[in-house]
Amino acid sequence: SMMRDRLVLVRELLAPDGSVWVHLDDNEMAYARVLMDEVFGRSNFVATIVWQKSDSPRSSARHFSTDQDYILVFARSEDVWRPNRLPRSADIHAKYKNPDDDPRGRWFGDNLRANKPYALGRYAVEGPTGRVFEPVPGKFWRISEERFRELDDDGRIWWGVKGDAFPTMKRYLSDVGDMVPRTVWLAEDVGSNRTSSNEMKRLFPNVETFSTPKPERLMERVIRSGADPGDVV
């Protein structure tokens, strides 16, 4: 009942393009989801974020070492609200190479095979060395043969250093925008309980910290994803 009263008020305060993020552990997450379905409407449920709160196993655990907490995300109106995309990390950028000195710059070889049936996705292609490639049974090309030929003529298909590898499609770094937010947030990206405890000790060296502070990077990702500059949070 305490949570319900506050969620009702939160809903009244939210802008039409607003969102609410509720952090919980295993004990209450499922019950809060049902409560939020009632208050905000099931159709306005957006996602359940899984946060890796622990970066090392707890050896004293009776059953399992619980490594995650949850953040339930609801929108005031799911049709209106959209999360902001996130900047790509240096690790992501490092995956882009340019082994063939492509004048368009660094690129990443994207898989052209797919599991989902595609009517135009069954055909054979011949590589620069004369080797023929086609998807194995149960697999399909993601693009039509016509589109494949267009990309190959434009130098956007990679056949490997020797020209005899299974083809991949070049995704150029210059064409890549910010990342769509994902639902698994690792401690290495947004911090853990240990991270937040250390942050609290630096801020308040003579005060005993409470057991579940939130790391600044976790809060930053929530705010970046859910709000624009000038918004009230």
Side-chain angles (χ1 to χ4, degrees), residues 25-37:
D25 64 10
D26 272 332
N27 293 311
E28 298 296 334
M29 185 273 288
Y31 305 108
R33 168 64 198 274
V34 174
L35 175 60
M36 295 182 75
D37 283 344

Side-chain angles (χ1 to χ4, degrees), residues 166-206:
F166 200 95
T168 57
M169 180 172 60
K170 294 181 179 180
R171 296 282 188 189
Y172 293 94
L173 181 59
S174 57
D175 295 334
V176 174
D178 291 336
M179 295 190 300
V180 174
R182 302 177 71 175
T183 55
V184 176
W185 294 5
L186 301 178
E188 63 189 52
D189 297 322
V190 297
S192 64
N193 280 344
R194 188 204 308 268
T195 307
S196 48
S197 293
N198 290 335
E199 290 170 350
M200 293 291 288
K201 288 175 183 176
R202 286 195 295 272
L203 287 169
F204 307 106
N206 300 317

Side-chain angles (χ1 to χ4, degrees), residues 19-102:
S19 60
V20 55
W21 305 59
V22 178
H23 167 273
L24 294 156
D25 64 10
D26 272 332
N27 293 311
E28 298 296 334
M29 185 273 288
Y31 305 108
R33 168 64 198 274
V34 174
L35 175 60
M36 295 182 75
D37 283 344
E38 174 196 338
V39 174
F40 294 93
R42 290 183 67 178
S43 63
N44 291 317
F45 168 73
V46 175
T48 301
I49 306 296
V50 179
W51 168 44
Q52 183 192 7
K53 67 176 181 179
S54 176
D55 52 14
S56 61
R58 188 164 62 91
S59 301
S60 60
R62 183 177 178 184
H63 296 114
F64 293 90
S65 175
T66 303
D67 292 343
Q68 84 289 336
D69 274 356
Y70 303 93
I71 303 174
L72 297 174
V73 186
F74 276 74
R76 181 68 172 81
S77 172
E78 189 273 340
D79 290 334
V80 175
W81 183 78
R82 294 291 182 272
N84 294 319
R85 299 196 172 208
L86 300 171
R88 292 184 179 269
S89 66
D91 290 341
I92 297 294
H93 282 199
K95 294 180 180 180
Y96 289 79
K97 310 290 184 182
N98 194 0
D100 58 345
D101 295 323
D102 191 315

Side-chain angles (χ1 to χ4, degrees), residues 21 71 84-87 185 189-191 199 214-228 233:
W21 305 59
I71 303 174
N84 294 319
R85 299 196 172 208
L86 300 171
W185 294 5
D189 297 322
V190 297
E199 290 170 350
K214 307 303 177 288
E216 292 179 2
R217 282 183 291 160
L218 178 73
M219 302 305 297
E220 179 186 18
R221 179 169 289 193
V222 170
I223 294 171
R224 278 184 179 271
S225 300
D228 296 319
V233 178

Side-chain angles (χ1 to χ4, degrees), residues 120-201:
L120 302 178
R122 294 296 306 179
Y123 54 88
V125 294
E126 183 176 326
T129 63
R131 186 179 176 188
V132 176
F133 301 90
E134 61 182 318
V136 298
K139 300 282 187 179
F140 302 84
W141 295 108
R142 289 169 48 194
I143 57 177
S144 67
E145 184 174 6
E146 180 182 5
R147 179 60 178 157
F148 186 99
R149 302 296 180 191
E150 290 175 356
L151 292 171
D152 195 23
D153 290 342
D154 194 30
R156 293 174 179 262
I157 298 295
W158 173 244
W159 301 91
V161 175
K162 298 180 179 179
D164 60 352
F166 200 95
T168 57
M169 180 172 60
K170 294 181 179 180
R171 296 282 188 189
Y172 293 94
L173 181 59
S174 57
D175 295 334
V176 174
D178 291 336
M179 295 190 300
V180 174
R182 302 177 71 175
T183 55
V184 176
W185 294 5
L186 301 178
E188 63 189 52
D189 297 322
V190 297
S192 64
N193 280 344
R194 188 204 308 268
T195 307
S196 48
S197 293
N198 290 335
E199 290 170 350
M200 293 291 288
K201 288 175 183 176

